[in-house]
Coordinates of all heavy atoms in Angstrom, one line a residue:
D271 N 16.3 -10.5 -9.6 CA 15.8 -9.2 -9.6 C 14.6 -9.1 -8.6 O 13.5 -9.7 -8.8 CB 15.4 -8.7 -11.1 CG 14.6 -7.5 -11.3 OD1 13.8 -7.1 -10.4 OD2 14.9 -7.0 -12.2
L272 N 14.8 -8.3 -7.5 CA 13.8 -8.2 -6.5 C 12.6 -7.6 -7.0 O 11.5 -8.0 -6.6 CB 14.4 -7.4 -5.3 CG 13.5 -7.3 -4.1 CD1 13.2 -8.6 -3.5 CD2 14.1 -6.3 -3.0
C273 N 12.6 -6.6 -7.8 CA 11.4 -5.9 -8.3 C 10.5 -7.0 -9.1 O 9.4 -7.0 -8.8 CB 11.8 -4.7 -9.3 SG 10.5 -3.8 -9.8
A274 N 11.1 -7.7 -9.9 CA 10.4 -8.7 -10.7 C 9.8 -9.7 -9.7 O 8.6 -10.1 -9.9 CB 11.2 -9.4 -11.7
L275 N 10.6 -10.2 -8.8 CA 10.0 -11.1 -7.7 C 8.7 -10.6 -7.0 O 7.7 -11.2 -6.9 CB 11.1 -11.5 -6.8 CG 10.6 -12.4 -5.6 CD1 10.1 -13.8 -6.1 CD2 11.6 -12.5 -4.5
V276 N 8.9 -9.3 -6.6 CA 7.7 -8.7 -5.9 C 6.6 -8.6 -6.8 O 5.4 -9.0 -6.4 CB 8.2 -7.4 -5.3 CG1 7.0 -6.6 -4.8 CG2 9.2 -7.4 -4.3
K277 N 6.7 -8.1 -8.0 CA 5.7 -8.0 -9.0 C 5.0 -9.4 -9.2 O 3.7 -9.4 -9.1 CB 6.1 -7.4 -10.2 CG 6.4 -6.0 -10.3 CD 6.8 -5.6 -11.6 CE 7.1 -4.1 -11.7 NZ 7.6 -3.6 -13.1
E278 N 5.7 -10.3 -9.4 CA 5.2 -11.8 -9.7 C 4.4 -12.3 -8.5 O 3.3 -12.8 -8.6 CB 6.4 -12.7 -10.0 CG 5.9 -14.1 -10.5 CD 7.1 -14.9 -10.9 OE1 8.1 -14.3 -11.4 OE2 7.0 -16.1 -10.6
V279 N 5.0 -12.2 -7.4 CA 4.4 -12.7 -6.1 C 3.1 -12.0 -5.8 O 2.0 -12.6 -5.5 CB 5.3 -12.7 -4.9 CG1 4.6 -13.0 -3.7 CG2 6.5 -13.7 -5.0
L280 N 3.1 -10.7 -5.9 CA 1.9 -9.9 -5.5 C 0.8 -10.0 -6.5 O -0.4 -9.8 -6.2 CB 2.2 -8.5 -5.3 CG 3.1 -8.4 -3.9 CD1 3.4 -6.8 -3.8 CD2 2.4 -8.8 -2.7
K281 N 1.2 -10.5 -7.8 CA 0.1 -10.6 -8.8 C -0.6 -12.0 -8.7 O -1.6 -12.1 -8.8 CB 0.8 -10.6 -10.1 CG -0.3 -10.6 -11.3 CD 0.5 -10.4 -12.7 CE -0.6 -10.6 -13.8 NZ 0.0 -10.4 -15.2
A282 N 0.4 -13.0 -8.2 CA -0.1 -14.3 -8.1 C -0.8 -14.7 -6.7 O -1.7 -15.6 -6.7 CB 1.0 -15.3 -8.4
V283 N -0.4 -14.0 -5.8 CA -0.9 -14.4 -4.4 C -1.7 -13.2 -3.8 O -1.3 -12.0 -3.9 CB 0.3 -14.8 -3.5 CG1 -0.1 -15.1 -2.1 CG2 1.2 -15.9 -4.1
F284 N -2.8 -13.5 -3.2 CA -3.6 -12.5 -2.5 C -3.1 -12.2 -1.2 O -3.2 -13.1 -0.3 CB -5.2 -13.0 -2.5 CG -6.0 -11.8 -2.0 CD1 -6.7 -11.1 -2.8 CD2 -6.2 -11.6 -0.6 CE1 -7.5 -10.0 -2.3 CE2 -7.0 -10.7 -0.1 CZ -7.7 -9.8 -1.0
V285 N -2.4 -11.1 -1.0 CA -1.7 -10.7 0.3 C -2.6 -9.7 0.9 O -2.7 -8.5 0.4 CB -0.3 -10.3 0.1 CG1 0.3 -10.1 1.5 CG2 0.5 -11.5 -0.5
L286 N -3.1 -9.9 2.1 CA -3.9 -8.8 2.8 C -3.0 -8.0 3.7 O -2.2 -8.5 4.5 CB -5.0 -9.5 3.6 CG -6.2 -8.7 4.1 CD1 -6.9 -8.0 2.9 CD2 -7.0 -9.5 4.9
D287 N -3.1 -6.7 3.6 CA -2.4 -5.8 4.4 C -2.8 -6.0 5.9 O -4.1 -5.8 6.2 CB -2.6 -4.4 4.0 CG -1.6 -3.3 4.5 OD1 -1.1 -3.7 5.7 OD2 -1.4 -2.4 4.0
P288 N -2.0 -6.3 6.8 CA -2.4 -6.5 8.2 C -2.7 -5.2 8.9 O -3.5 -5.1 10.0 CB -1.2 -7.1 8.9 CG 0.0 -6.7 8.0 CD -0.6 -6.6 6.7
R289 N -2.3 -4.0 8.3 CA -2.6 -2.7 8.9 C -3.8 -2.1 8.1 O -3.8 -1.9 6.9 CB -1.4 -1.7 8.6 CG -0.3 -2.3 9.4 CD 0.9 -1.2 9.1 NE 2.2 -1.8 9.6 CZ 3.0 -2.7 9.0 NH1 2.6 -3.2 7.9 NH2 4.1 -3.1 9.5
P290 N -4.9 -1.8 8.8 CA -6.1 -1.2 8.2 C -5.8 0.2 7.7 O -4.9 0.9 8.2 CB -7.2 -1.2 9.4 CG -6.4 -1.4 10.6 CD -5.1 -2.0 10.3
D291 N -6.6 0.5 6.6 CA -6.3 1.9 6.1 C -7.1 2.8 6.9 O -7.7 2.6 8.1 CB -6.8 2.0 4.6 CG -8.3 1.6 4.5 OD1 -9.0 1.5 5.4 OD2 -8.7 1.4 3.3
L292 N -7.3 4.1 6.5 CA -7.9 5.1 7.2 C -9.4 4.8 7.5 O -10.1 5.2 8.4 CB -7.8 6.5 6.6 CG -6.3 7.0 6.6 CD1 -6.3 8.3 5.9 CD2 -5.8 7.2 8.0
D293 N -10.0 4.0 6.6 CA -11.4 3.6 6.7 C -11.6 2.4 7.6 O -12.7 1.8 7.7 CB -12.0 3.3 5.3 CG -12.1 4.6 4.5 OD1 -12.2 5.6 4.9 OD2 -11.9 4.4 3.1
G294 N -10.4 1.8 8.1 CA -10.6 0.7 9.1 C -10.5 -0.7 8.2 O -10.9 -1.7 8.8
R295 N -10.4 -0.7 6.9 CA -10.3 -1.8 6.1 C -8.9 -2.4 5.8 O -8.0 -1.6 5.6 CB -11.1 -1.6 4.8 CG -12.6 -1.2 5.0 CD -13.2 -0.9 3.6 NE -12.6 0.4 3.2 CZ -12.6 1.0 2.0 NH1 -13.4 0.3 1.1 NH2 -12.0 2.0 1.7
N296 N -8.8 -3.6 5.8 CA -7.6 -4.3 5.3 C -7.7 -4.5 3.9 O -8.6 -5.3 3.4 CB -7.4 -5.6 6.1 CG -7.2 -5.3 7.6 OD1 -8.2 -5.2 8.2 ND2 -6.0 -5.3 8.0
K297 N -6.7 -4.0 3.1 CA -6.8 -4.2 1.6 C -5.7 -5.1 1.1 O -4.7 -5.3 1.8 CB -6.6 -2.8 1.0 CG -7.8 -1.8 1.3 CD -7.5 -0.5 0.5 CE -8.7 0.5 0.8 NZ -8.6 1.7 0.1
R298 N -5.9 -5.5 -0.1 CA -4.9 -6.3 -0.8 C -3.7 -5.6 -1.0 O -3.8 -4.5 -1.5 CB -5.5 -7.0 -2.1 CG -4.5 -7.7 -2.9 CD -5.1 -8.4 -4.1 NE -4.0 -9.3 -4.7 CZ -4.3 -10.0 -5.7 NH1 -5.6 -10.0 -6.3 NH2 -3.4 -10.8 -6.2
I299 N -2.5 -6.2 -0.7 CA -1.3 -5.4 -1.2 C -1.0 -5.8 -2.6 O -1.0 -6.9 -3.0 CB -0.1 -6.0 -0.3 CG1 -0.4 -5.7 1.3 CG2 1.1 -5.3 -0.7 CD1 0.5 -6.3 2.2
T300 N -0.7 -4.9 -3.4 CA -0.4 -4.9 -4.8 C 1.0 -4.3 -5.0 O 1.5 -3.6 -4.1 CB -1.4 -4.2 -5.8 OG1 -1.4 -2.8 -5.4 CG2 -2.8 -4.7 -5.5
Y301 N 1.5 -4.5 -6.3 CA 2.8 -3.8 -6.6 C 2.7 -2.3 -6.4 O 3.7 -1.7 -5.9 CB 3.3 -4.2 -7.9 CG 4.6 -3.6 -8.2 CD1 5.8 -4.1 -7.6 CD2 4.8 -2.5 -9.0 CE1 7.1 -3.5 -7.8 CE2 6.1 -1.9 -9.2 CZ 7.2 -2.4 -8.6 OH 8.3 -1.9 -8.7
D302 N 1.6 -1.7 -6.7 CA 1.4 -0.3 -6.7 C 1.3 0.2 -5.3 O 1.5 1.4 -5.0 CB 0.3 0.2 -7.5 CG 0.4 0.0 -8.9 OD1 1.6 0.1 -9.4 OD2 -0.6 -0.1 -9.7
S303 N 0.9 -0.7 -4.3 CA 0.7 -0.2 -2.9 C 1.8 -0.9 -1.9 O 1.8 -0.4 -0.8 CB -0.8 -0.8 -2.4 OG -0.9 -2.1 -2.3
V304 N 2.6 -1.8 -2.4 CA 3.5 -2.3 -1.4 C 4.4 -1.3 -0.9 O 4.9 -0.5 -1.7 CB 4.2 -3.5 -2.0 CG1 5.1 -3.2 -3.2 CG2 5.0 -4.3 -1.0
N305 N 4.7 -1.2 0.4 CA 5.6 -0.2 0.9 C 6.7 -0.9 1.6 O 6.9 -2.1 1.5 CB 4.8 0.8 1.8 CG 4.2 0.0 3.2 OD1 4.9 -0.9 3.6 ND2 3.1 0.5 3.6
L306 N 7.6 -0.1 2.1 CA 8.9 -0.7 2.7 C 8.6 -1.5 4.0 O 9.3 -2.3 4.3 CB 9.9 0.4 2.8 CG 10.3 1.2 1.7 CD1 11.3 2.3 1.9 CD2 10.9 0.2 0.6
Y307 N 7.6 -1.2 4.7 CA 7.2 -2.1 5.9 C 6.9 -3.5 5.3 O 7.3 -4.5 5.7 CB 5.9 -1.6 6.5 CG 6.1 -0.4 7.4 CD1 5.5 0.8 7.1 CD2 6.9 -0.4 8.7 CE1 5.8 1.9 7.9 CE2 7.0 0.8 9.5 CZ 6.4 1.9 9.0 OH 6.6 2.9 9.9
H308 N 6.0 -3.6 4.2 CA 5.6 -4.8 3.6 C 6.8 -5.5 3.0 O 7.0 -6.8 3.2 CB 4.6 -4.5 2.4 CG 3.3 -3.8 2.8 ND1 2.8 -2.8 2.1 CD2 2.5 -4.0 3.8 CE1 1.7 -2.4 2.6 NE2 1.6 -3.2 3.7
M309 N 7.6 -4.7 2.4 CA 9.0 -5.4 1.8 C 9.7 -6.1 2.9 O 10.1 -7.2 2.6 CB 9.8 -4.2 1.1 CG 9.1 -3.8 -0.2 SD 8.9 -5.0 -1.5 CE 10.6 -5.6 -1.6
C310 N 9.9 -5.5 4.0 CA 10.7 -6.1 5.0 C 10.1 -7.3 5.6 O 10.6 -8.3 5.7 CB 10.9 -4.9 6.2 SG 11.9 -5.6 7.5
E311 N 8.8 -7.2 5.8 CA 8.0 -8.4 6.5 C 7.9 -9.5 5.6 O 7.9 -10.6 5.9 CB 6.6 -7.8 6.9 CG 6.6 -6.8 8.1 CD 5.3 -6.3 8.4 OE1 4.3 -6.7 7.9 OE2 5.3 -5.2 9.2
L312 N 7.5 -9.2 4.2 CA 7.0 -10.2 3.3 C 8.2 -10.9 2.5 O 8.1 -11.9 2.0 CB 6.0 -9.6 2.4 CG 4.6 -9.2 3.0 CD1 3.8 -8.4 2.0 CD2 3.9 -10.3 3.6
F313 N 9.2 -10.0 2.2 CA 10.3 -10.4 1.3 C 11.7 -10.5 2.1 O 12.3 -11.5 2.1 CB 10.4 -9.6 0.1 CG 9.1 -9.7 -0.7 CD1 8.1 -8.8 -0.6 CD2 9.0 -10.7 -1.6 CE1 7.0 -8.9 -1.3 CE2 7.8 -10.8 -2.4 CZ 6.8 -9.9 -2.3
V314 N 12.2 -9.3 2.6 CA 13.4 -9.3 3.1 C 13.7 -10.2 4.3 O 14.7 -11.1 4.3 CB 14.0 -7.9 3.4 CG1 15.3 -7.8 4.2 CG2 13.9 -7.0 2.2
M315 N 12.8 -10.2 5.3 CA 13.1 -11.0 6.4 C 12.9 -12.5 6.1 O 13.7 -13.3 6.5 CB 12.1 -10.7 7.7 CG 12.4 -9.3 8.1 SD 14.1 -9.0 8.8 CE 14.1 -10.1 10.2
P316 N 11.9 -13.0 5.3 CA 11.9 -14.4 5.0 C 13.0 -14.9 4.1 O 13.5 -16.0 4.3 CB 10.5 -14.5 4.2 CG 9.7 -13.5 4.7 CD 10.6 -12.3 5.0
L317 N 13.6 -14.0 3.2 CA 14.7 -14.4 2.4 C 16.0 -14.4 3.3 O 16.9 -15.2 3.1 CB 14.9 -13.4 1.3 CG 13.8 -13.5 0.2 CD1 14.0 -12.2 -0.8 CD2 13.9 -14.8 -0.5
T318 N 16.2 -13.6 4.2 CA 17.4 -13.5 5.0 C 17.5 -14.3 6.2 O 18.6 -14.6 6.8 CB 17.8 -12.1 5.3 OG1 16.8 -11.4 6.1 CG2 18.1 -11.2 4.1
R319 N 16.3 -14.7 6.8 CA 16.4 -15.4 8.1 C 17.1 -16.7 8.2 O 17.8 -17.0 9.0 CB 14.9 -15.6 8.5 CG 14.7 -16.1 9.9 CD 13.3 -16.1 10.4 NE 12.7 -14.8 10.6 CZ 11.6 -14.4 9.8 NH1 11.0 -15.2 8.9 NH2 11.3 -13.2 9.9
P320 N 16.9 -17.5 7.0 CA 17.5 -18.9 7.1 C 19.2 -18.6 7.1 O 19.8 -19.6 7.7 CB 17.2 -19.5 5.8 CG 15.9 -18.8 5.3 CD 16.0 -17.4 5.9
Q321 N 19.7 -17.7 6.5 CA 21.1 -17.5 6.6 C 21.6 -16.6 7.7 O 22.8 -16.3 7.9 CB 21.7 -16.9 5.2 CG 21.5 -17.8 4.0 CD 20.1 -17.7 3.4 OE1 19.3 -17.0 3.8 NE2 19.7 -18.7 2.6
E322 N 20.7 -16.0 8.4 CA 20.9 -15.0 9.4 C 21.8 -14.0 9.0 O 22.9 -13.6 9.5 CB 21.5 -15.7 10.7 CG 20.5 -16.6 11.3 CD 21.0 -17.3 12.7 OE1 22.2 -17.0 13.0 OE2 20.3 -18.0 13.2
S323 N 21.4 -13.4 7.8 CA 22.3 -12.4 7.1 C 21.5 -11.1 6.7 O 20.3 -11.1 7.0 CB 22.8 -13.0 5.9 OG 21.8 -13.2 4.9
S324 N 22.2 -10.2 6.4 CA 21.5 -9.0 5.8 C 21.2 -9.2 4.4 O 21.7 -10.2 3.8 CB 22.5 -7.8 6.0 OG 23.5 -7.8 5.0
F325 N 20.3 -8.4 3.8 CA 19.9 -8.5 2.4 C 21.2 -8.3 1.5 O 21.3 -9.0 0.5 CB 18.8 -7.5 1.9 CG 18.3 -7.8 0.7 CD1 17.4 -8.9 0.4 CD2 18.5 -7.0 -0.4 CE1 17.0 -9.2 -0.9 CE2 18.1 -7.2 -1.7 CZ 17.2 -8.3 -1.8
V326 N 21.9 -7.3 1.8 CA 23.2 -7.1 1.0 C 24.0 -8.4 1.0 O 24.6 -8.8 -0.1 CB 23.9 -5.8 1.5 CG1 25.4 -5.8 0.9 CG2 23.1 -4.7 1.2
E327 N 24.2 -9.0 2.1 CA 25.0 -10.1 2.2 C 24.5 -11.2 1.3 O 25.3 -12.1 0.8 CB 25.2 -10.6 3.7 CG 26.0 -9.8 4.5 CD 26.0 -10.0 5.9 OE1 24.9 -10.4 6.5 OE2 27.1 -10.3 6.6
L328 N 23.1 -11.3 1.2 CA 22.5 -12.4 0.5 C 22.7 -12.2 -1.0 O 22.9 -13.1 -1.9 CB 21.0 -12.3 0.8 CG 20.2 -13.4 0.2 CD1 20.5 -14.8 0.8 CD2 18.7 -13.1 0.5
V329 N 22.7 -10.9 -1.5 CA 22.7 -10.6 -3.0 C 24.1 -10.2 -3.5 O 24.3 -10.3 -4.7 CB 21.7 -9.6 -3.2 CG1 20.3 -10.0 -3.0 CG2 21.9 -8.2 -2.7
M330 N 25.0 -9.9 -2.7 CA 26.3 -9.5 -3.2 C 27.4 -10.6 -3.0 O 27.3 -11.5 -2.2 CB 26.7 -8.3 -2.5 CG 25.8 -7.0 -2.7 SD 25.3 -6.7 -4.4 CE 26.9 -6.2 -5.1
D331 N 28.5 -10.6 -4.0 CA 29.5 -11.5 -3.8 C 30.6 -11.1 -2.8 O 31.4 -12.0 -2.5 CB 30.1 -11.7 -5.2 CG 29.2 -12.3 -6.3 OD1 28.3 -13.0 -5.8 OD2 29.4 -12.0 -7.4
G332 N 30.6 -9.9 -2.4 CA 31.8 -9.6 -1.5 C 31.3 -8.4 -0.7 O 30.3 -7.8 -0.8
P333 N 32.4 -7.8 0.1 CA 32.0 -6.6 0.8 C 31.5 -5.5 0.0 O 32.0 -5.3 -1.1 CB 33.4 -6.3 1.5 CG 34.1 -7.5 1.5 CD 33.7 -8.2 0.2
Q334 N 30.6 -4.5 0.5 CA 30.2 -3.5 -0.2 C 30.4 -2.2 0.7 O 29.7 -2.0 1.7 CB 28.7 -3.5 -0.5 CG 28.4 -4.7 -1.4 CD 28.9 -4.4 -2.8 OE1 28.6 -3.4 -3.4 NE2 29.7 -5.4 -3.3
D335 N 31.5 -1.5 0.5 CA 31.7 -0.3 1.4 C 30.7 0.7 1.1 O 30.5 1.1 -0.2 CB 33.1 0.3 1.1 CG 34.3 -0.8 1.6 OD1 33.9 -1.5 2.6 OD2 35.3 -0.8 1.0
P336 N 30.0 1.3 2.0 CA 29.0 2.3 1.7 C 29.7 3.7 1.2 O 30.8 4.1 1.7 CB 28.4 2.6 3.2 CG 29.4 2.2 4.1 CD 30.2 1.1 3.4
V337 N 29.0 4.2 0.3 CA 29.4 5.5 -0.4 C 28.4 6.6 0.1 O 28.7 7.8 0.4 CB 29.6 5.4 -1.8 CG1 29.9 6.9 -2.4 CG2 30.7 4.4 -2.2
W338 N 27.2 6.2 0.1 CA 26.0 7.1 0.3 C 25.1 6.5 1.4 O 25.0 5.4 1.5 CB 25.1 7.3 -0.9 CG 25.9 7.8 -2.1 CD1 26.4 7.1 -3.1 CD2 26.1 9.2 -2.4 NE1 27.1 7.9 -4.0 CE2 26.8 9.2 -3.6 CE3 25.8 10.4 -1.8 CZ2 27.2 10.4 -4.2 CZ3 26.3 11.6 -2.3 CH2 26.9 11.6 -3.5
F339 N 24.6 7.4 2.2 CA 23.6 7.1 3.2 C 22.2 7.6 2.7 O 22.1 8.7 2.4 CB 23.8 7.8 4.6 CG 22.8 7.5 5.5 CD1 22.6 6.3 6.2 CD2 21.8 8.5 5.8 CE1 21.5 6.2 7.1 CE2 20.6 8.3 6.6 CZ 20.6 7.1 7.4
M340 N 21.2 6.7 2.5 CA 19.9 7.0 2.0 C 18.9 6.8 3.2 O 18.7 5.7 3.7 CB 19.6 6.1 0.9 CG 20.5 6.2 -0.4 SD 20.9 7.8 -1.0 CE 19.3 7.9 -1.9
S341 N 18.3 7.9 3.5 CA 17.2 7.9 4.6 C 16.0 7.7 3.9 O 15.7 8.2 2.6 CB 17.3 9.2 5.3 OG 16.4 9.1 6.4
H342 N 15.0 7.1 4.5 CA 13.6 6.8 3.9 C 12.7 6.7 5.1 O 12.9 6.4 6.2 CB 13.6 5.6 3.1 CG 13.9 4.3 3.8 ND1 13.0 3.7 4.6 CD2 15.2 3.7 4.0 CE1 13.5 2.7 5.2 NE2 14.8 2.7 4.8
W343 N 11.4 6.8 4.5 CA 10.2 6.5 5.4 C 9.7 5.0 5.1 O 9.6 4.8 4.0 CB 9.1 7.6 5.3 CG 7.9 7.3 6.0 CD1 7.6 6.9 7.3 CD2 6.6 7.2 5.5 NE1 6.4 6.7 7.6 CE2 5.6 6.9 6.4 CE3 6.0 7.4 4.2 CZ2 4.3 6.8 6.3 CZ3 4.6 7.3 4.0 CH2 3.7 6.9 5.1
W344 N 9.5 4.2 6.0 CA 9.1 2.8 5.8 C 7.8 2.8 5.1 O 7.5 1.9 4.4 CB 9.0 2.1 7.1 CG 10.3 1.8 7.6 CD1 11.1 2.5 8.4 CD2 11.2 0.7 7.2 NE1 12.5 2.0 8.6 CE2 12.5 0.8 7.9 CE3 11.0 -0.3 6.4 CZ2 13.5 -0.2 7.7 CZ3 12.0 -1.4 6.2 CH2 13.2 -1.2 7.0
G345 N 6.9 3.9 5.2 CA 5.7 3.8 4.5 C 5.7 4.2 3.0 O 4.7 4.1 2.3
T346 N 6.9 4.7 2.6 CA 7.0 5.0 1.2 C 6.7 3.7 0.2 O 7.2 2.6 0.6 CB 8.4 5.5 0.8 OG1 8.7 6.6 1.7 CG2 8.6 5.9 -0.6
H347 N 6.1 3.9 -0.8 CA 5.9 2.8 -1.7 C 7.2 2.4 -2.3 O 8.0 3.0 -2.6 CB 4.8 3.2 -2.8 CG 3.6 3.4 -2.4 ND1 2.8 4.5 -2.9 CD2 2.8 2.8 -1.6 CE1 1.5 4.4 -2.3 NE2 1.5 3.4 -1.4
F348 N 7.3 1.0 -2.4 CA 8.5 0.4 -2.9 C 8.9 1.0 -4.3 O 10.0 1.3 -4.6 CB 8.2 -1.1 -3.0 CG 9.6 -1.9 -3.5 CD1 10.7 -1.8 -3.0 CD2 9.3 -2.7 -4.7 CE1 11.8 -2.6 -3.5 CE2 10.4 -3.4 -5.2 CZ 11.7 -3.4 -4.6
K349 N 7.9 1.1 -5.2 CA 8.3 1.6 -6.6 C 8.7 3.0 -6.5 O 9.7 3.4 -7.2 CB 7.1 1.3 -7.4 CG 5.8 2.2 -7.2 CD 4.8 2.1 -8.2 CE 3.6 2.9 -7.9 NZ 2.7 2.9 -9.1
D350 N 8.2 3.8 -5.5 CA 8.8 5.2 -5.4 C 10.1 5.3 -4.9 O 10.9 6.1 -5.4 CB 7.8 6.0 -4.5 CG 6.4 6.2 -5.1 OD1 6.4 6.1 -6.4 OD2 5.5 6.5 -4.3
S351 N 10.4 4.3 -4.0 CA 11.8 4.2 -3.5 C 12.8 3.9 -4.6 O 13.8 4.3 -4.7 CB 11.9 3.2 -2.3 OG 11.1 3.6 -1.2
L352 N 12.4 2.9 -5.5 CA 13.2 2.5 -6.6 C 13.4 3.6 -7.5 O 14.4 3.8 -8.0 CB 12.6 1.3 -7.3 CG 12.6 -0.1 -6.6 CD1 11.9 -1.1 -7.5 CD2 14.0 -0.4 -6.2
D353 N 12.3 4.4 -7.8 CA 12.5 5.6 -8.7 C 13.5 6.5 -8.1 O 14.4 7.1 -8.9 CB 11.2 6.3 -8.9 CG 10.2 5.5 -9.8 OD1 10.6 4.6 -10.5 OD2 9.0 5.8 -9.7
M354 N 13.4 6.8 -6.8 CA 14.3 7.8 -6.2 C 15.8 7.2 -6.3 O 16.7 8.0 -6.6 CB 13.9 8.0 -4.7 CG 14.8 8.9 -3.9 SD 16.3 8.2 -3.1 CE 15.7 6.8 -2.2
L355 N 15.9 6.1 -6.0 CA 17.3 5.4 -6.1 C 17.9 5.5 -7.5 O 19.1 5.9 -7.7 CB 17.4 4.0 -5.6 CG 17.1 3.8 -4.0 CD1 16.9 2.5 -3.7 CD2 18.3 4.4 -3.2
Q356 N 17.1 5.3 -8.4 CA 17.5 5.3 -9.8 C 17.8 6.8 -10.3 O 18.7 7.0 -10.9 CB 16.4 4.7 -10.8 CG 16.3 3.3 -10.6 CD 15.1 2.6 -11.3 OE1 14.1 3.4 -11.6 NE2 15.1 1.4 -11.6
W357 N 17.1 7.8 -9.8 CA 17.2 9.1 -10.0 C 18.6 9.5 -9.3 O 19.5 10.2 -10.0 CB 16.1 10.0 -9.4 CG 16.4 11.5 -9.5 CD1 16.2 12.2 -10.6 CD2 16.9 12.3 -8.5 NE1 16.6 13.5 -10.3 CE2 16.9 13.7 -9.1 CE3 17.3 12.1 -7.2 CZ2 17.4 14.7 -8.4 CZ3 17.7 13.2 -6.5 CH2 17.8 14.4 -7.0
H358 N 18.9 9.1 -8.1 CA 20.2 9.4 -7.5 C 21.2 8.9 -8.3 O 22.3 9.6 -8.4 CB 20.1 8.8 -6.0 CG 21.3 9.0 -5.2 ND1 21.7 10.2 -4.7 CD2 22.4 8.2 -5.1 CE1 22.8 10.0 -4.1 NE2 23.4 8.8 -4.3
A359 N 21.1 7.5 -8.7 CA 22.2 7.0 -9.4 C 22.5 7.8 -10.8 O 23.7 8.0 -11.1 CB 21.9 5.5 -9.8
K360 N 21.5 8.1 -11.4 CA 21.6 8.9 -12.7 C 22.3 10.3 -12.5 O 23.2 10.7 -13.1 CB 20.2 9.1 -13.4 CG 20.3 9.9 -14.6 CD 19.0 9.9 -15.2 CE 19.1 10.6 -16.7 NZ 17.7 10.8 -17.2
C361 N 21.9 10.9 -11.4 CA 22.5 12.3 -11.1 C 24.0 12.1 -10.7 O 24.6 13.1 -10.9 CB 21.8 12.7 -9.8 SG 20.2 13.5 -10.2
H362 N 24.4 11.0 -10.2 CA 25.8 10.8 -9.8 C 26.6 9.9 -10.8 O 27.7 9.4 -10.5 CB 25.7 10.3 -8.3 CG 25.3 11.3 -7.4 ND1 26.1 12.3 -6.9 CD2 24.1 11.4 -6.8 CE1 25.4 13.1 -6.1 NE2 24.2 12.6 -6.0
G363 N 26.0 9.8 -11.9 CA 26.7 9.0 -13.0 C 27.0 7.5 -12.8 O 27.9 6.9 -13.2
M364 N 26.0 7.0 -12.0 CA 26.1 5.5 -11.5 C 25.0 4.6 -12.2 O 24.8 3.5 -11.8 CB 25.9 5.4 -10.0 CG 27.0 6.2 -9.2 SD 26.8 5.9 -7.4 CE 25.3 6.9 -7.0
D365 N 24.4 5.2 -13.3 CA 23.4 4.4 -14.0 C 24.0 3.7 -15.1 O 24.1 2.8 -15.6 CB 22.2 5.3 -14.4 CG 22.7 6.4 -15.4 OD1 23.9 6.7 -15.4 OD2 21.8 7.0 -16.1

């Protein structure tokens, strides 16, 4: 479960955001502040690089034909993206 992994890692490890905030400070990345840029840099790329695969190839057993296209802003908080995906699934009877 990626969500559980992210929560556990960001609780146990002090990860400093390489991008300063509007005040010019670099803050600790927490589960509440982790965004999709962070997810890609800190989790997806390190997990997929050894196999030279996509994240879907890493976590699924076989081909996954797309049914929906989901657009997003990379700065969106990860937990908000998960909420949106869960809402979409519920609206379309996929929950």
Side-chain angles (χ1 to χ4, degrees):
D271 173 325
L272 182 61
C273 184
L275 173 67
V276 171
K277 284 181 180 180
E278 185 177 326
V279 168
L280 293 177
K281 185 177 180 180
V283 179
F284 187 94
V285 180
L286 195 61
D287 192 336
R289 296 177 191 83
D291 65 11
L292 296 175
D293 297 328
R295 296 175 294 169
N296 298 82
K297 295 183 178 177
R298 180 179 185 172
I299 299 171
T300 65
Y301 181 74
D302 289 334
S303 68
V304 66
N305 63 37
L306 299 178
Y307 287 113
H308 301 134
M309 289 298 299
C310 185
E311 293 171 13
L312 299 172
F313 295 95
V314 174
M315 294 305 292
L317 289 169
T318 59
R319 190 174 292 118
Q321 293 82 12
E322 296 182 0
S323 67
S324 70
F325 188 75
V326 169
E327 292 171 309
L328 185 66
V329 299
M330 300 309 298
D331 292 332
Q334 297 292 305
D335 294 330
V337 176
W338 301 96
F339 172 79
M340 304 301 285
S341 185
H342 62 82
W343 173 52
W344 285 91
T346 302
H347 291 141
F348 176 61
K349 67 180 186 172
D350 292 340
S351 295
L352 289 179
D353 288 344
M354 180 273 306
L355 291 169
Q356 290 168 345
W357 176 80
H358 176 80
K360 183 177 180 179
C361 288
H362 294 280
M364 299 181 292
D365 57 342

